mmCIF file of all heavy atoms in Angstrom:
data_model
loop_
_atom_site.group_PDB
_atom_site.id
_atom_site.type_symbol
_atom_site.label_atom_id
_atom_site.label_comp_id
_atom_site.label_asym_id
_atom_site.label_seq_id
_atom_site.Cartn_x
_atom_site.Cartn_y
_atom_site.Cartn_z
ATOM 1 N N GLU A 63 2.038 -4.673 -9.449
ATOM 2 C CA GLU A 63 1.817 -4.050 -10.734
ATOM 3 C C GLU A 63 1.130 -5.105 -11.610
ATOM 4 O O GLU A 63 1.739 -6.082 -12.026
ATOM 5 C CB GLU A 63 3.160 -3.630 -11.330
ATOM 6 C CG GLU A 63 2.981 -2.841 -12.606
ATOM 7 C CD GLU A 63 4.319 -2.390 -13.252
ATOM 8 O OE1 GLU A 63 5.179 -1.889 -12.453
ATOM 9 O OE2 GLU A 63 4.499 -2.512 -14.428
ATOM 10 N N VAL A 64 -0.112 -4.903 -11.913
ATOM 11 C CA VAL A 64 -0.958 -5.772 -12.660
ATOM 12 C C VAL A 64 -0.519 -5.733 -14.093
ATOM 13 O O VAL A 64 -0.274 -6.732 -14.752
ATOM 14 C CB VAL A 64 -2.413 -5.489 -12.521
ATOM 15 C CG1 VAL A 64 -3.306 -6.469 -13.389
ATOM 16 C CG2 VAL A 64 -2.896 -5.595 -11.097
ATOM 17 N N ASN A 65 -0.443 -4.544 -14.709
ATOM 18 C CA ASN A 65 0.062 -4.294 -16.028
ATOM 19 C C ASN A 65 0.461 -2.821 -16.119
ATOM 20 O O ASN A 65 0.529 -2.161 -15.092
ATOM 21 C CB ASN A 65 -0.977 -4.695 -17.061
ATOM 22 C CG ASN A 65 -2.334 -3.953 -16.880
ATOM 23 O OD1 ASN A 65 -2.386 -2.741 -16.624
ATOM 24 N ND2 ASN A 65 -3.387 -4.637 -17.021
ATOM 25 N N ASP A 66 0.742 -2.355 -17.319
ATOM 26 C CA ASP A 66 1.225 -0.916 -17.482
ATOM 27 C C ASP A 66 0.163 0.103 -17.046
ATOM 28 O O ASP A 66 0.488 1.190 -16.734
ATOM 29 C CB ASP A 66 1.591 -0.665 -18.899
ATOM 30 C CG ASP A 66 2.866 -1.403 -19.277
ATOM 31 O OD1 ASP A 66 3.625 -1.837 -18.369
ATOM 32 O OD2 ASP A 66 3.171 -1.490 -20.531
ATOM 33 N N GLU A 67 -1.048 -0.306 -17.037
ATOM 34 C CA GLU A 67 -2.146 0.600 -16.723
ATOM 35 C C GLU A 67 -2.876 0.317 -15.409
ATOM 36 O O GLU A 67 -3.855 1.059 -15.076
ATOM 37 C CB GLU A 67 -3.123 0.619 -17.893
ATOM 38 C CG GLU A 67 -2.493 1.121 -19.172
ATOM 39 C CD GLU A 67 -3.539 1.269 -20.322
ATOM 40 O OE1 GLU A 67 -4.708 1.165 -20.074
ATOM 41 O OE2 GLU A 67 -3.029 1.474 -21.455
ATOM 42 N N GLN A 68 -2.483 -0.673 -14.692
ATOM 43 C CA GLN A 68 -3.152 -0.988 -13.390
ATOM 44 C C GLN A 68 -2.128 -1.420 -12.381
ATOM 45 O O GLN A 68 -1.296 -2.283 -12.633
ATOM 46 C CB GLN A 68 -4.157 -2.111 -13.578
ATOM 47 C CG GLN A 68 -5.443 -1.700 -14.232
ATOM 48 C CD GLN A 68 -6.466 -2.849 -14.192
ATOM 49 O OE1 GLN A 68 -6.414 -3.651 -13.260
ATOM 50 N NE2 GLN A 68 -7.343 -2.860 -15.135
ATOM 51 N N THR A 69 -2.308 -0.911 -11.204
ATOM 52 C CA THR A 69 -1.570 -1.282 -10.008
ATOM 53 C C THR A 69 -2.574 -1.675 -8.945
ATOM 54 O O THR A 69 -3.657 -1.008 -8.891
ATOM 55 C CB THR A 69 -0.596 -0.190 -9.503
ATOM 56 O OG1 THR A 69 0.286 0.089 -10.565
ATOM 57 C CG2 THR A 69 0.192 -0.579 -8.290
ATOM 58 N N LYS A 70 -2.277 -2.653 -8.143
ATOM 59 C CA LYS A 70 -3.187 -3.104 -7.077
ATOM 60 C C LYS A 70 -2.566 -3.045 -5.735
ATOM 61 O O LYS A 70 -1.484 -3.542 -5.488
ATOM 62 C CB LYS A 70 -3.591 -4.552 -7.392
ATOM 63 C CG LYS A 70 -4.478 -5.215 -6.298
ATOM 64 C CD LYS A 70 -4.880 -6.654 -6.738
ATOM 65 C CE LYS A 70 -3.699 -7.574 -6.642
ATOM 66 N NZ LYS A 70 -4.084 -8.974 -6.876
ATOM 67 N N ASP A 71 -3.254 -2.427 -4.769
ATOM 68 C CA ASP A 71 -2.896 -2.378 -3.378
ATOM 69 C C ASP A 71 -3.906 -3.282 -2.660
ATOM 70 O O ASP A 71 -5.136 -3.195 -2.941
ATOM 71 C CB ASP A 71 -2.945 -0.945 -2.768
ATOM 72 C CG ASP A 71 -1.694 -0.184 -2.900
ATOM 73 O OD1 ASP A 71 -0.703 -0.785 -3.513
ATOM 74 O OD2 ASP A 71 -1.613 0.958 -2.510
ATOM 75 N N VAL A 72 -3.406 -4.133 -1.738
ATOM 76 C CA VAL A 72 -4.243 -5.098 -1.083
ATOM 77 C C VAL A 72 -4.194 -4.827 0.444
ATOM 78 O O VAL A 72 -3.150 -4.639 1.029
ATOM 79 C CB VAL A 72 -3.811 -6.548 -1.398
ATOM 80 C CG1 VAL A 72 -4.663 -7.581 -0.675
ATOM 81 C CG2 VAL A 72 -3.853 -6.788 -2.864
ATOM 82 N N PHE A 73 -5.401 -4.904 1.060
ATOM 83 C CA PHE A 73 -5.524 -4.651 2.470
ATOM 84 C C PHE A 73 -6.378 -5.819 3.021
ATOM 85 O O PHE A 73 -7.249 -6.400 2.325
ATOM 86 C CB PHE A 73 -6.300 -3.334 2.737
ATOM 87 C CG PHE A 73 -5.625 -2.184 2.106
ATOM 88 C CD1 PHE A 73 -5.939 -1.750 0.851
ATOM 89 C CD2 PHE A 73 -4.616 -1.473 2.796
ATOM 90 C CE1 PHE A 73 -5.284 -0.672 0.264
ATOM 91 C CE2 PHE A 73 -3.991 -0.450 2.246
ATOM 92 C CZ PHE A 73 -4.312 0.015 0.931
ATOM 93 N N ARG A 74 -6.189 -6.146 4.275
ATOM 94 C CA ARG A 74 -6.904 -7.290 4.962
ATOM 95 C C ARG A 74 -7.321 -6.805 6.312
ATOM 96 O O ARG A 74 -6.601 -6.079 7.000
ATOM 97 C CB ARG A 74 -6.017 -8.510 5.072
ATOM 98 C CG ARG A 74 -6.765 -9.734 5.599
ATOM 99 C CD ARG A 74 -5.840 -10.807 6.093
ATOM 100 N NE ARG A 74 -4.825 -10.385 7.016
ATOM 101 C CZ ARG A 74 -5.050 -10.050 8.303
ATOM 102 N NH1 ARG A 74 -6.202 -10.101 8.796
ATOM 103 N NH2 ARG A 74 -4.031 -9.685 9.061
ATOM 104 N N VAL A 75 -8.488 -7.267 6.697
ATOM 105 C CA VAL A 75 -9.024 -6.923 8.040
ATOM 106 C C VAL A 75 -9.855 -8.109 8.545
ATOM 107 O O VAL A 75 -10.438 -8.860 7.765
ATOM 108 C CB VAL A 75 -9.862 -5.623 7.986
ATOM 109 C CG1 VAL A 75 -11.123 -5.806 7.228
ATOM 110 C CG2 VAL A 75 -10.192 -5.164 9.408
ATOM 111 N N THR A 76 -9.850 -8.262 9.874
ATOM 112 C CA THR A 76 -10.662 -9.269 10.519
ATOM 113 C C THR A 76 -11.984 -8.558 10.902
ATOM 114 O O THR A 76 -11.979 -7.527 11.512
ATOM 115 C CB THR A 76 -10.031 -9.831 11.719
ATOM 116 O OG1 THR A 76 -8.787 -10.478 11.334
ATOM 117 C CG2 THR A 76 -10.924 -10.959 12.412
ATOM 118 N N VAL A 77 -13.095 -9.212 10.520
ATOM 119 C CA VAL A 77 -14.435 -8.649 10.751
ATOM 120 C C VAL A 77 -15.178 -9.518 11.763
ATOM 121 O O VAL A 77 -15.206 -10.773 11.639
ATOM 122 C CB VAL A 77 -15.267 -8.567 9.448
ATOM 123 C CG1 VAL A 77 -16.646 -8.038 9.693
ATOM 124 C CG2 VAL A 77 -14.521 -7.702 8.398
ATOM 125 N N ARG A 78 -15.819 -8.900 12.727
ATOM 126 C CA ARG A 78 -16.661 -9.610 13.685
ATOM 127 C C ARG A 78 -18.088 -9.035 13.485
ATOM 128 O O ARG A 78 -18.313 -7.914 13.766
ATOM 129 C CB ARG A 78 -16.254 -9.466 15.092
ATOM 130 C CG ARG A 78 -17.268 -10.019 16.084
ATOM 131 C CD ARG A 78 -16.767 -10.168 17.454
ATOM 132 N NE ARG A 78 -16.129 -11.501 17.511
ATOM 133 C CZ ARG A 78 -15.193 -11.831 18.313
ATOM 134 N NH1 ARG A 78 -14.673 -10.942 19.197
ATOM 135 N NH2 ARG A 78 -14.624 -13.036 18.314
ATOM 136 N N GLN A 79 -18.984 -9.884 12.975
ATOM 137 C CA GLN A 79 -20.344 -9.515 12.705
ATOM 138 C C GLN A 79 -21.241 -10.462 13.404
ATOM 139 O O GLN A 79 -21.270 -11.695 13.034
ATOM 140 C CB GLN A 79 -20.579 -9.491 11.172
ATOM 141 C CG GLN A 79 -21.784 -8.728 10.748
ATOM 142 C CD GLN A 79 -21.814 -8.520 9.225
ATOM 143 O OE1 GLN A 79 -21.449 -9.404 8.498
ATOM 144 N NE2 GLN A 79 -22.264 -7.335 8.791
ATOM 145 N N LYS A 80 -21.995 -10.005 14.360
ATOM 146 C CA LYS A 80 -22.782 -10.866 15.235
ATOM 147 C C LYS A 80 -21.921 -11.965 15.856
ATOM 148 O O LYS A 80 -20.961 -11.591 16.535
ATOM 149 C CB LYS A 80 -23.957 -11.425 14.480
ATOM 150 C CG LYS A 80 -24.909 -10.315 13.955
ATOM 151 C CD LYS A 80 -26.011 -10.926 13.142
ATOM 152 C CE LYS A 80 -26.871 -9.717 12.592
ATOM 153 N NZ LYS A 80 -27.798 -10.166 11.612
ATOM 154 N N ALA A 81 -22.145 -13.208 15.656
ATOM 155 C CA ALA A 81 -21.302 -14.282 16.278
ATOM 156 C C ALA A 81 -20.246 -14.762 15.345
ATOM 157 O O ALA A 81 -19.564 -15.733 15.683
ATOM 158 C CB ALA A 81 -22.262 -15.398 16.743
ATOM 159 N N ASP A 82 -20.154 -14.176 14.165
ATOM 160 C CA ASP A 82 -19.276 -14.663 13.145
ATOM 161 C C ASP A 82 -18.028 -13.839 13.028
ATOM 162 O O ASP A 82 -18.090 -12.616 13.039
ATOM 163 C CB ASP A 82 -20.038 -14.682 11.799
ATOM 164 C CG ASP A 82 -19.467 -15.521 10.736
ATOM 165 O OD1 ASP A 82 -18.572 -16.350 11.082
ATOM 166 O OD2 ASP A 82 -19.885 -15.426 9.558
ATOM 167 N N THR A 83 -16.856 -14.467 12.961
ATOM 168 C CA THR A 83 -15.575 -13.757 12.764
ATOM 169 C C THR A 83 -14.885 -14.275 11.467
ATOM 170 O O THR A 83 -14.792 -15.520 11.309
ATOM 171 C CB THR A 83 -14.670 -13.952 13.969
ATOM 172 O OG1 THR A 83 -15.291 -13.443 15.137
ATOM 173 C CG2 THR A 83 -13.401 -13.155 13.754
ATOM 174 N N PHE A 84 -14.497 -13.392 10.631
ATOM 175 C CA PHE A 84 -13.934 -13.788 9.350
ATOM 176 C C PHE A 84 -12.967 -12.727 8.830
ATOM 177 O O PHE A 84 -13.018 -11.570 9.320
ATOM 178 C CB PHE A 84 -14.990 -14.086 8.299
ATOM 179 C CG PHE A 84 -16.019 -13.007 8.154
ATOM 180 C CD1 PHE A 84 -15.825 -12.008 7.183
ATOM 181 C CD2 PHE A 84 -17.143 -12.958 8.949
ATOM 182 C CE1 PHE A 84 -16.754 -11.036 7.062
ATOM 183 C CE2 PHE A 84 -18.090 -11.986 8.814
ATOM 184 C CZ PHE A 84 -17.886 -11.021 7.830
ATOM 185 N N SER A 85 -12.130 -13.055 7.839
ATOM 186 C CA SER A 85 -11.235 -12.089 7.239
ATOM 187 C C SER A 85 -11.892 -11.526 5.943
ATOM 188 O O SER A 85 -12.611 -12.258 5.236
ATOM 189 C CB SER A 85 -9.921 -12.726 6.880
ATOM 190 O OG SER A 85 -9.169 -12.991 8.030
#
Side-chain angles (χ1 to χ4, degrees):
E63 186 178 316
V64 178
N65 56 43
D66 289 343
E67 296 184 11
Q68 285 189 27
T69 299
K70 173 178 72 172
D71 274 357
V72 179
F73 305 90
R74 187 197 48 77
V75 66
T76 300
V77 177
R78 172 168 272 153
Q79 197 169 39
K80 299 178 184 170
D82 201 11
T83 302
F84 51 92
S85 290

